[in-house]
Amino acid sequence: MQVETLIHARWVVPVAPADTVLENHSIAIDNGRIVAIVPSAEAIEQIRGARTVNLPRHALIPGLVNAHTHAAMSLFRGLADDMPLMTWLNEHIWPAEAKWVHEEFVAEGTRLAVAEMLRSGTTCFNDMYFFPDVTARVAAQAGIRSAVGLILIDFPSAWASDADDYLRKALEVHDALRNEPLVSTAFAPHAPYSVSDQPLARMLTLSNELELPIHMHVHETADEVQQGLERFGVRPIERLRKLGLIGPSLLAVHMTQVTDSEIADMAQANSHVVHCPEYNLKLASGFCPVQRLVDAGINVALGTDSAASNNDLDMLGEMKTAALLGKGVAGDATALPAHRVLEMATINGARALGLSERTGSLENGKEADIVAIDLGQLNTQPLFNPVSQIVYAAGREQVSDVWVAGRRLLANGQLNSLDMQSIATSATRWHARITGKYLNGRPE
């Protein structure tokens, strides 16, 4: 058997079947897809790779799926820290966006985010931001998989003037990207408090017609819920239910304020939840009851939110935080075990985005989105359980190699599709612009 790439590894963690670790196994890749996962001794005898990669200290896992990002906001990393959500938004982020966000900002901010994500093992991200066509173009050029949000919000921006304009541009972007192999789209209404009923109803009709997911911040804070009660007379989830949005296409992000009946409604509707533990902790938004959601049968994925509010895009760190916080909130040390959290960061995210037939697990026929983690370093020794070490002990600096659709984007810690120096220079230039400082003696 002749293949393009043959990877020999100490461990393979396929995620499907669940709770499986394969020792001394190899993965064969051809035409961008996994064509065999077999014991390494068998692979050496029966398979020839045009390229062979030996990773004797490494675990191979599915590429991580960051199910909630605002990638371009990486250029606002650290701009406004240690304040409540609405103060952060109203007094700092939204004014900064009004002044700075345009195509160049989105392109360079997304490029910075993609570099960070690839270097920490993310192979797919689900984004919500202005100029989604630019985000998609940058992601495709870098070789990472993306689900770009067709943004919808009541107020005007540099991207669109009103709801009609947002929806018109959403359809244009969707049509333009439908043949991009690494790009998918989702409607992305910002939040119940920032999108009114009529645009939501029109968007839902389009979502049903095009069979697109709906990616939305929902029950992010207690203040949001109180605003919903005061403005509409019902909690936001109830308002969304009346509008028909609580269904299998919904990805509800954050969900820190939920009742048992709301959990039951979400479960019955087969809606998805995206948990962003570090973001929620930093902004003191509340605690998502992840184990209760899981027990109810809800598919829970994992996301970082933006680097402006997290302040990183590190899904390995997010897994550890999710596991520890989940136990603390549940009051149960058995809640959210390591294998379950790895599923949240891989197949659950792919399932929420409608991509589980293509990515999210290491299985024959799926596209080869693969991450290699070096577990031979001191902080992951001794090693009794590779999945536990990945979730509880490994750092993103241990991600050595990344493949997306069979293309090796990170090799021995070095990016192949992006110029790190030019990205760093760009970030420095944007810092100078935003702070009003001088660069090379000239105001930017």
Side-chain angles (χ1 to χ4, degrees):
M1 183 179 181
Q2 185 73 34
V3 298
E4 293 171 355
T5 303
L6 183 60
I7 311 169
H8 302 299
R10 180 67 177 84
W11 299 275
V12 173
V13 184
V15 170
D19 301 330
T20 299
V21 176
L22 306 172
E23 293 196 49
N24 297 311
H25 269 60
S26 302
I27 297 180
I29 303 169
D30 204 55
N31 292 319
R33 295 184 178 274
I34 297 170
V35 295
I37 303 175
V38 296
S40 294
E42 181 180 325
I44 291 169
E45 289 185 0
Q46 299 180 6
I47 303 174
R48 295 290 175 267
R51 291 177 297 276
T52 299
V53 181
N54 293 300
L55 300 171
R57 311 192 316 177
H58 296 64
L60 300 182
I61 65 171
L64 301 173
V65 179
N66 190 339
H68 179 61
T69 64
H70 310 280
M73 291 181 74
S74 290
L75 290 176
F76 291 143
R77 190 196 318 261
L79 176 67
D81 284 336
D82 305 321
M83 57 189 65
L85 171 65
M86 297 315 295
T87 303
W88 178 77
L89 276 176
N90 289 317
E91 298 181 19
H92 298 274
I93 295 303
W94 282 347
E97 288 179 331
K99 184 173 183 179
W100 296 110
V101 172
H102 49 65
E103 290 192 31
E104 181 189 6
F105 177 96
V106 171
E108 297 191 18
T110 300
R111 197 169 289 113
L112 173 62
V114 167
E116 180 181 359
M117 286 191 282
L118 285 173
R119 294 181 73 209
S120 52
T122 292
T123 61
C124 176
F125 69 103
N126 179 37
D127 203 57
M128 176 193 287
Y129 212 59
F130 309 105
F131 298 96
D133 55 330
V134 175
T135 300
R137 182 179 72 245
V138 170
Q141 289 172 347
I144 194 171
R145 200 178 298 279
S146 65
V148 294
L150 308 175
I151 191 78
L152 178 62
I153 196 166
D154 279 347
F155 58 73
S157 67
W159 169 242
S161 58
D162 55 24
D164 289 340
D165 200 20
Y166 281 106
L167 291 172
R168 178 181 62 80
K169 288 187 173 181
L171 295 177
E172 290 177 354
V173 170
H174 171 73
D175 288 342
L177 298 175
R178 60 173 46 187
N179 294 320
E180 286 286 342
L182 293 176
V183 180
S184 60
T185 56
F187 280 104
H190 176 258
Y193 60 83
S194 57
V195 189
S196 49
D197 286 1
Q198 186 177 8
L200 285 175
R202 291 177 56 203
M203 179 214 65
L204 178 61
T205 298
L206 294 171
S207 170
N208 291 336
E209 290 175 356
L210 299 172
E211 298 182 341
L212 294 183
I214 297 171
H215 171 205
M216 187 179 197
H217 303 103
V218 179
H219 281 216
E220 184 172 352
T221 64
D223 184 58
E224 175 198 329
V225 175
Q226 185 60 35
Q227 285 185 45
L229 287 167
E230 293 172 0
R231 183 177 173 189
F232 299 100
V234 293
R235 289 164 64 89
I237 284 181
E238 175 61 15
R239 174 173 161 240
L240 295 180
R241 188 191 65 78
K242 290 180 177 180
L243 289 169
L245 270 75
I246 304 299
S249 63
L250 179 64
L251 283 72
V253 183
H254 298 305
M255 294 287 284
T256 68
Q257 317 289 322
V258 287
T259 65
D260 288 343
S261 63
E262 288 167 342
I263 291 174
D265 288 345
M266 295 282 285
Q268 185 174 8
N270 293 317
S271 296
H272 310 270
V273 169
V274 181
H275 179 37
C276 302
E278 292 185 4
Y279 167 93
N280 293 337
L281 286 169
K282 183 164 181 280
L283 287 165
S285 297
F287 303 108
C288 179
V290 179
Q291 189 60 50
R292 286 166 56 205
L293 299 175
V294 171
D295 290 342
I298 294 174
N299 179 56
V300 181
L302 198 62
T304 61
D305 214 293
S306 78
S309 54
N310 185 305
N311 292 21
D312 60 43
L313 304 175
D314 177 7
M315 284 289 285
L316 282 176
E318 214 71 39
M319 282 196 288
K320 179 177 181 178
T321 303
L324 299 180
L325 183 63
K327 297 173 190 304
V329 169
D332 180 359
T334 69
L336 298 191
H339 273 279
R340 175 59 60 85
V341 173
L342 182 59
E343 290 174 1
M344 289 168 57
T346 54
I347 190 62
N348 289 10
R351 187 176 294 121
L353 295 170
L355 298 175
S356 59
E357 295 300 313
R358 302 174 64 183
T359 190
S361 59
L362 303 180
E363 300 179 74
N364 285 348
K366 283 198 174 184
E367 296 185 33
D369 296 356
I370 304 170
V371 170
I373 302 175
D374 180 2
L375 297 180
Q377 297 187 23
L378 289 178
N379 56 296
T380 44
Q381 292 295 316
L383 195 151
F384 301 102
N385 183 323
V387 177
S388 290
Q389 296 293 57
I390 289 167
V391 171
Y392 294 116
R396 59 178 168 177
E397 71 280 355
Q398 291 171 255
V399 173
S400 65
D401 299 82
V402 171
W403 290 262
V404 177
R407 180 184 174 192
R408 194 178 187 184
L409 301 180
L410 186 75
N412 300 313
Q414 299 300 311
L415 286 170
N416 292 326
S417 61
L418 292 165
D419 183 340
M420 292 297 300
Q421 184 56 55
S422 68
I423 292 171
T425 299
S426 168
T428 300
R429 185 182 301 113
W430 275 103
H431 172 265
R433 291 180 185 177
I434 292 167
T435 60
K437 293 183 180 179
Y438 284 75
L439 186 66
N440 297 325
R442 295 172 299 175
E444 285 290 311

mmCIF file of all heavy atoms in Angstrom, residues 308-348:
data_model
loop_
_atom_site.group_PDB
_atom_site.id
_atom_site.type_symbol
_atom_site.label_atom_id
_atom_site.label_comp_id
_atom_site.label_asym_id
_atom_site.label_seq_id
_atom_site.Cartn_x
_atom_site.Cartn_y
_atom_site.Cartn_z
ATOM 1 N N ALA A 308 -9.148 38.954 23.249
ATOM 2 C CA ALA A 308 -9.362 40.225 23.920
ATOM 3 C C ALA A 308 -9.999 40.035 25.285
ATOM 4 O O ALA A 308 -10.017 40.957 26.095
ATOM 5 C CB ALA A 308 -10.243 41.137 23.061
ATOM 6 N N SER A 309 -10.510 38.845 25.545
ATOM 7 C CA SER A 309 -11.241 38.624 26.787
ATOM 8 C C SER A 309 -10.846 37.337 27.491
ATOM 9 O O SER A 309 -11.388 37.032 28.544
ATOM 10 C CB SER A 309 -12.757 38.597 26.503
ATOM 11 O OG SER A 309 -13.062 37.642 25.501
ATOM 12 N N ASN A 310 -9.898 36.591 26.948
ATOM 13 C CA ASN A 310 -9.579 35.289 27.540
ATOM 14 C C ASN A 310 -8.307 35.264 28.393
ATOM 15 O O ASN A 310 -8.386 34.827 29.530
ATOM 16 C CB ASN A 310 -9.498 34.212 26.442
ATOM 17 C CG ASN A 310 -9.281 32.823 27.004
ATOM 18 O OD1 ASN A 310 -8.351 32.587 27.749
ATOM 19 N ND2 ASN A 310 -10.145 31.891 26.665
ATOM 20 N N ASN A 311 -7.133 35.543 27.966
ATOM 21 C CA ASN A 311 -6.619 36.309 26.833
ATOM 22 C C ASN A 311 -5.788 35.457 25.860
ATOM 23 O O ASN A 311 -4.823 35.964 25.279
ATOM 24 C CB ASN A 311 -5.720 37.432 27.341
ATOM 25 C CG ASN A 311 -6.446 38.510 28.109
ATOM 26 O OD1 ASN A 311 -7.534 38.331 28.635
ATOM 27 N ND2 ASN A 311 -5.846 39.666 28.186
ATOM 28 N N ASP A 312 -6.135 34.209 25.688
ATOM 29 C CA ASP A 312 -5.416 33.390 24.722
ATOM 30 C C ASP A 312 -6.397 32.502 23.987
ATOM 31 O O ASP A 312 -7.594 32.465 24.284
ATOM 32 C CB ASP A 312 -4.303 32.565 25.391
ATOM 33 C CG ASP A 312 -4.822 31.602 26.454
ATOM 34 O OD1 ASP A 312 -5.860 30.942 26.219
ATOM 35 O OD2 ASP A 312 -4.205 31.480 27.518
ATOM 36 N N LEU A 313 -5.882 31.789 22.993
ATOM 37 C CA LEU A 313 -6.700 30.890 22.179
ATOM 38 C C LEU A 313 -6.197 29.462 22.340
ATOM 39 O O LEU A 313 -6.138 28.694 21.386
ATOM 40 C CB LEU A 313 -6.651 31.332 20.710
ATOM 41 C CG LEU A 313 -7.066 32.784 20.442
ATOM 42 C CD1 LEU A 313 -6.871 33.143 18.976
ATOM 43 C CD2 LEU A 313 -8.512 33.017 20.860
ATOM 44 N N ASP A 314 -5.865 29.115 23.551
ATOM 45 C CA ASP A 314 -5.212 27.847 23.886
ATOM 46 C C ASP A 314 -6.252 26.810 24.301
ATOM 47 O O ASP A 314 -6.736 26.814 25.432
ATOM 48 C CB ASP A 314 -4.212 28.103 25.013
ATOM 49 C CG ASP A 314 -3.514 26.844 25.494
ATOM 50 O OD1 ASP A 314 -3.690 25.784 24.882
ATOM 51 O OD2 ASP A 314 -2.779 26.941 26.500
ATOM 52 N N MET A 315 -6.582 25.909 23.390
ATOM 53 C CA MET A 315 -7.607 24.904 23.691
ATOM 54 C C MET A 315 -7.117 23.827 24.664
ATOM 55 O O MET A 315 -7.918 23.213 25.366
ATOM 56 C CB MET A 315 -8.106 24.272 22.397
ATOM 57 C CG MET A 315 -9.049 25.164 21.607
ATOM 58 S SD MET A 315 -10.668 25.339 22.398
ATOM 59 C CE MET A 315 -11.378 23.713 22.022
ATOM 60 N N LEU A 316 -5.814 23.575 24.729
ATOM 61 C CA LEU A 316 -5.316 22.652 25.746
ATOM 62 C C LEU A 316 -5.553 23.229 27.137
ATOM 63 O O LEU A 316 -6.021 22.530 28.046
ATOM 64 C CB LEU A 316 -3.822 22.379 25.535
ATOM 65 C CG LEU A 316 -3.456 21.391 24.430
ATOM 66 C CD1 LEU A 316 -1.945 21.317 24.283
ATOM 67 C CD2 LEU A 316 -4.013 20.007 24.713
ATOM 68 N N GLY A 317 -5.251 24.502 27.308
ATOM 69 C CA GLY A 317 -5.526 25.143 28.591
ATOM 70 C C GLY A 317 -7.005 25.173 28.901
ATOM 71 O O GLY A 317 -7.426 25.004 30.057
ATOM 72 N N GLU A 318 -7.821 25.376 27.867
ATOM 73 C CA GLU A 318 -9.270 25.424 28.055
ATOM 74 C C GLU A 318 -9.799 24.068 28.524
ATOM 75 O O GLU A 318 -10.728 23.997 29.342
ATOM 76 C CB GLU A 318 -9.938 25.827 26.744
ATOM 77 C CG GLU A 318 -11.177 26.654 26.893
ATOM 78 C CD GLU A 318 -10.904 28.072 27.373
ATOM 79 O OE1 GLU A 318 -9.903 28.678 26.948
ATOM 80 O OE2 GLU A 318 -11.717 28.575 28.177
ATOM 81 N N MET A 319 -9.211 22.979 28.005
ATOM 82 C CA MET A 319 -9.642 21.652 28.439
ATOM 83 C C MET A 319 -9.383 21.449 29.936
ATOM 84 O O MET A 319 -10.240 20.949 30.660
ATOM 85 C CB MET A 319 -8.939 20.568 27.622
ATOM 86 C CG MET A 319 -9.516 20.351 26.249
ATOM 87 S SD MET A 319 -8.992 18.776 25.503
ATOM 88 C CE MET A 319 -7.285 19.122 25.118
ATOM 89 N N LYS A 320 -8.201 21.832 30.382
ATOM 90 C CA LYS A 320 -7.886 21.661 31.804
ATOM 91 C C LYS A 320 -8.836 22.478 32.661
ATOM 92 O O LYS A 320 -9.379 21.982 33.662
ATOM 93 C CB LYS A 320 -6.439 22.056 32.076
ATOM 94 C CG LYS A 320 -6.060 21.918 33.545
ATOM 95 C CD LYS A 320 -4.595 22.236 33.791
ATOM 96 C CE LYS A 320 -4.243 22.069 35.269
ATOM 97 N NZ LYS A 320 -2.800 22.328 35.529
ATOM 98 N N THR A 321 -9.042 23.745 32.273
ATOM 99 C CA THR A 321 -9.948 24.598 33.048
ATOM 100 C C THR A 321 -11.360 24.028 33.055
ATOM 101 O O THR A 321 -12.036 24.028 34.090
ATOM 102 C CB THR A 321 -9.960 26.019 32.479
ATOM 103 O OG1 THR A 321 -8.622 26.541 32.481
ATOM 104 C CG2 THR A 321 -10.846 26.939 33.297
ATOM 105 N N ALA A 322 -11.827 23.544 31.905
ATOM 106 C CA ALA A 322 -13.171 22.971 31.828
ATOM 107 C C ALA A 322 -13.314 21.774 32.754
ATOM 108 O O ALA A 322 -14.326 21.617 33.442
ATOM 109 C CB ALA A 322 -13.486 22.569 30.391
ATOM 110 N N ALA A 323 -12.295 20.919 32.770
ATOM 111 C CA ALA A 323 -12.356 19.725 33.613
ATOM 112 C C ALA A 323 -12.380 20.091 35.090
ATOM 113 O O ALA A 323 -13.198 19.582 35.865
ATOM 114 C CB ALA A 323 -11.171 18.814 33.305
ATOM 115 N N LEU A 324 -11.488 20.984 35.496
ATOM 116 C CA LEU A 324 -11.406 21.352 36.911
ATOM 117 C C LEU A 324 -12.634 22.127 37.356
ATOM 118 O O LEU A 324 -13.207 21.855 38.415
ATOM 119 C CB LEU A 324 -10.138 22.172 37.152
ATOM 120 C CG LEU A 324 -8.805 21.482 36.854
ATOM 121 C CD1 LEU A 324 -7.645 22.426 37.153
ATOM 122 C CD2 LEU A 324 -8.667 20.194 37.645
ATOM 123 N N LEU A 325 -13.052 23.096 36.548
ATOM 124 C CA LEU A 325 -14.226 23.892 36.902
ATOM 125 C C LEU A 325 -15.481 23.025 36.925
ATOM 126 O O LEU A 325 -16.344 23.180 37.796
ATOM 127 C CB LEU A 325 -14.379 25.037 35.906
ATOM 128 C CG LEU A 325 -15.514 26.030 36.168
ATOM 129 C CD1 LEU A 325 -15.294 26.756 37.491
ATOM 130 C CD2 LEU A 325 -15.616 27.034 35.023
ATOM 131 N N GLY A 326 -15.565 22.113 35.967
ATOM 132 C CA GLY A 326 -16.730 21.237 35.915
ATOM 133 C C GLY A 326 -16.888 20.403 37.174
ATOM 134 O O GLY A 326 -18.004 20.196 37.667
ATOM 135 N N LYS A 327 -15.779 19.947 37.715
ATOM 136 C CA LYS A 327 -15.825 19.172 38.956
ATOM 137 C C LYS A 327 -16.247 20.055 40.126
ATOM 138 O O LYS A 327 -17.049 19.660 40.978
ATOM 139 C CB LYS A 327 -14.453 18.542 39.217
ATOM 140 C CG LYS A 327 -14.017 17.545 38.157
ATOM 141 C CD LYS A 327 -12.587 17.073 38.383
ATOM 142 C CE LYS A 327 -12.060 16.284 37.206
ATOM 143 N NZ LYS A 327 -12.875 15.129 36.818
ATOM 144 N N GLY A 328 -15.677 21.265 40.162
ATOM 145 C CA GLY A 328 -16.002 22.172 41.257
ATOM 146 C C GLY A 328 -17.458 22.588 41.250
ATOM 147 O O GLY A 328 -18.113 22.618 42.300
ATOM 148 N N VAL A 329 -17.983 22.912 40.073
ATOM 149 C CA VAL A 329 -19.380 23.338 39.976
ATOM 150 C C VAL A 329 -20.323 22.188 40.321
ATOM 151 O O VAL A 329 -21.339 22.380 41.003
ATOM 152 C CB VAL A 329 -19.671 23.884 38.554
ATOM 153 C CG1 VAL A 329 -21.166 24.085 38.341
ATOM 154 C CG2 VAL A 329 -18.922 25.193 38.334
ATOM 155 N N ALA A 330 -19.981 20.982 39.863
ATOM 156 C CA ALA A 330 -20.833 19.820 40.133
ATOM 157 C C ALA A 330 -20.668 19.301 41.550
ATOM 158 O O ALA A 330 -21.524 18.551 42.044
ATOM 159 C CB ALA A 330 -20.519 18.707 39.128
ATOM 160 N N GLY A 331 -19.563 19.679 42.219
ATOM 161 C CA GLY A 331 -19.287 19.110 43.531
ATOM 162 C C GLY A 331 -19.021 17.629 43.455
ATOM 163 O O GLY A 331 -19.356 16.871 44.372
ATOM 164 N N ASP A 332 -18.381 17.207 42.365
ATOM 165 C CA ASP A 332 -18.212 15.774 42.092
ATOM 166 C C ASP A 332 -16.892 15.578 41.361
ATOM 167 O O ASP A 332 -16.719 16.060 40.231
ATOM 168 C CB ASP A 332 -19.382 15.286 41.234
ATOM 169 C CG ASP A 332 -19.300 13.805 40.898
ATOM 170 O OD1 ASP A 332 -18.330 13.137 41.310
ATOM 171 O OD2 ASP A 332 -20.202 13.323 40.175
ATOM 172 N N ALA A 333 -15.960 14.885 41.975
ATOM 173 C CA ALA A 333 -14.646 14.667 41.364
ATOM 174 C C ALA A 333 -14.705 13.796 40.120
ATOM 175 O O ALA A 333 -13.764 13.781 39.314
ATOM 176 C CB ALA A 333 -13.694 14.042 42.384
ATOM 177 N N THR A 334 -15.806 13.072 39.941
ATOM 178 C CA THR A 334 -15.923 12.214 38.750
ATOM 179 C C THR A 334 -16.537 12.955 37.564
ATOM 180 O O THR A 334 -16.600 12.410 36.463
ATOM 181 C CB THR A 334 -16.780 10.979 39.056
ATOM 182 O OG1 THR A 334 -18.151 11.361 39.262
ATOM 183 C CG2 THR A 334 -16.271 10.234 40.271
ATOM 184 N N ALA A 335 -17.003 14.189 37.781
ATOM 185 C CA ALA A 335 -17.622 14.946 36.690
ATOM 186 C C ALA A 335 -16.565 15.304 35.645
ATOM 187 O O ALA A 335 -15.406 15.556 35.962
ATOM 188 C CB ALA A 335 -18.273 16.218 37.228
ATOM 189 N N LEU A 336 -16.972 15.331 34.395
ATOM 190 C CA LEU A 336 -16.120 15.727 33.269
ATOM 191 C C LEU A 336 -14.734 15.088 33.322
ATOM 192 O O LEU A 336 -13.711 15.773 33.435
ATOM 193 C CB LEU A 336 -15.996 17.245 33.197
ATOM 194 C CG LEU A 336 -17.281 18.042 32.960
ATOM 195 C CD1 LEU A 336 -16.952 19.495 32.658
ATOM 196 C CD2 LEU A 336 -18.099 17.457 31.839
ATOM 197 N N PRO A 337 -14.663 13.772 33.217
ATOM 198 C CA PRO A 337 -13.353 13.114 33.163
ATOM 199 C C PRO A 337 -12.596 13.514 31.902
ATOM 200 O O PRO A 337 -13.158 14.086 30.964
ATOM 201 C CB PRO A 337 -13.707 11.629 33.162
ATOM 202 C CG PRO A 337 -15.103 11.577 32.613
ATOM 203 C CD PRO A 337 -15.773 12.827 33.082
ATOM 204 N N ALA A 338 -11.311 13.201 31.881
ATOM 205 C CA ALA A 338 -10.431 13.687 30.815
ATOM 206 C C ALA A 338 -10.915 13.283 29.424
ATOM 207 O O ALA A 338 -10.906 14.095 28.487
ATOM 208 C CB ALA A 338 -9.009 13.168 31.053
ATOM 209 N N HIS A 339 -11.327 12.049 29.238
ATOM 210 C CA HIS A 339 -11.802 11.611 27.918
ATOM 211 C C HIS A 339 -13.012 12.434 27.474
ATOM 212 O O HIS A 339 -13.128 12.800 26.297
ATOM 213 C CB HIS A 339 -12.171 10.116 27.952
ATOM 214 C CG HIS A 339 -11.028 9.200 27.687
ATOM 215 N ND1 HIS A 339 -10.580 8.908 26.409
ATOM 216 C CD2 HIS A 339 -10.232 8.499 28.532
ATOM 217 C CE1 HIS A 339 -9.568 8.065 26.481
ATOM 218 N NE2 HIS A 339 -9.339 7.794 27.750
ATOM 219 N N ARG A 340 -13.917 12.726 28.400
ATOM 220 C CA ARG A 340 -15.116 13.493 28.048
ATOM 221 C C ARG A 340 -14.733 14.905 27.610
ATOM 222 O O ARG A 340 -15.284 15.454 26.647
ATOM 223 C CB ARG A 340 -16.075 13.525 29.234
ATOM 224 C CG ARG A 340 -17.320 14.410 29.038
ATOM 225 C CD ARG A 340 -18.172 13.990 27.846
ATOM 226 N NE ARG A 340 -18.664 12.654 27.942
ATOM 227 C CZ ARG A 340 -19.780 12.292 28.581
ATOM 228 N NH1 ARG A 340 -20.511 13.201 29.197
ATOM 229 N NH2 ARG A 340 -20.156 11.032 28.596
ATOM 230 N N VAL A 341 -13.787 15.508 28.310
ATOM 231 C CA VAL A 341 -13.371 16.865 27.959
ATOM 232 C C VAL A 341 -12.677 16.889 26.605
ATOM 233 O O VAL A 341 -12.859 17.821 25.814
ATOM 234 C CB VAL A 341 -12.468 17.452 29.067
ATOM 235 C CG1 VAL A 341 -11.896 18.791 28.646
ATOM 236 C CG2 VAL A 341 -13.265 17.610 30.352
ATOM 237 N N LEU A 342 -11.890 15.845 26.306
ATOM 238 C CA LEU A 342 -11.273 15.765 24.978
ATOM 239 C C LEU A 342 -12.340 15.652 23.891
ATOM 240 O O LEU A 342 -12.206 16.249 22.814
ATOM 241 C CB LEU A 342 -10.308 14.579 24.910
ATOM 242 C CG LEU A 342 -9.551 14.402 23.582
ATOM 243 C CD1 LEU A 342 -8.728 15.634 23.241
ATOM 244 C CD2 LEU A 342 -8.669 13.160 23.625
ATOM 245 N N GLU A 343 -13.405 14.930 24.171
ATOM 246 C CA GLU A 343 -14.524 14.864 23.217
ATOM 247 C C GLU A 343 -15.145 16.246 23.022
ATOM 248 O O GLU A 343 -15.476 16.632 21.895
ATOM 249 C CB GLU A 343 -15.589 13.888 23.730
ATOM 250 C CG GLU A 343 -15.179 12.429 23.698
ATOM 251 C CD GLU A 343 -16.209 11.530 24.356
ATOM 252 O OE1 GLU A 343 -17.260 12.048 24.822
ATOM 253 O OE2 GLU A 343 -15.971 10.310 24.413
ATOM 254 N N MET A 344 -15.295 17.011 24.105
ATOM 255 C CA MET A 344 -15.855 18.353 23.990
ATOM 256 C C MET A 344 -15.014 19.213 23.060
ATOM 257 O O MET A 344 -15.543 20.041 22.296
ATOM 258 C CB MET A 344 -15.939 19.005 25.375
ATOM 259 C CG MET A 344 -16.995 18.411 26.286
ATOM 260 S SD MET A 344 -16.817 18.967 28.013
ATOM 261 C CE MET A 344 -16.915 20.745 27.827
ATOM 262 N N ALA A 345 -13.700 19.035 23.104
ATOM 263 C CA ALA A 345 -12.783 19.858 22.323
ATOM 264 C C ALA A 345 -12.574 19.352 20.903
ATOM 265 O O ALA A 345 -11.860 20.009 20.128
ATOM 266 C CB ALA A 345 -11.429 19.932 23.037
ATOM 267 N N THR A 346 -13.194 18.228 20.551
ATOM 268 C CA THR A 346 -12.964 17.651 19.219
ATOM 269 C C THR A 346 -14.294 17.282 18.554
ATOM 270 O O THR A 346 -14.905 18.103 17.879
ATOM 271 C CB THR A 346 -12.029 16.429 19.324
ATOM 272 O OG1 THR A 346 -12.567 15.484 20.292
ATOM 273 C CG2 THR A 346 -10.631 16.838 19.740
ATOM 274 N N ILE A 347 -14.767 16.077 18.782
ATOM 275 C CA ILE A 347 -15.934 15.589 18.048
ATOM 276 C C ILE A 347 -17.195 16.367 18.395
ATOM 277 O O ILE A 347 -18.066 16.576 17.537
ATOM 278 C CB ILE A 347 -16.141 14.069 18.294
ATOM 279 C CG1 ILE A 347 -17.197 13.504 17.341
ATOM 280 C CG2 ILE A 347 -16.477 13.789 19.745
ATOM 281 C CD1 ILE A 347 -16.829 13.600 15.870
ATOM 282 N N ASN A 348 -17.337 16.833 19.639
ATOM 283 C CA ASN A 348 -18.546 17.582 19.996
ATOM 284 C C ASN A 348 -18.611 18.907 19.251
ATOM 285 O O ASN A 348 -19.681 19.327 18.800
ATOM 286 C CB ASN A 348 -18.598 17.834 21.503
ATOM 287 C CG ASN A 348 -18.889 16.575 22.302
ATOM 288 O OD1 ASN A 348 -18.869 15.473 21.765
ATOM 289 N ND2 ASN A 348 -19.162 16.733 23.578
#
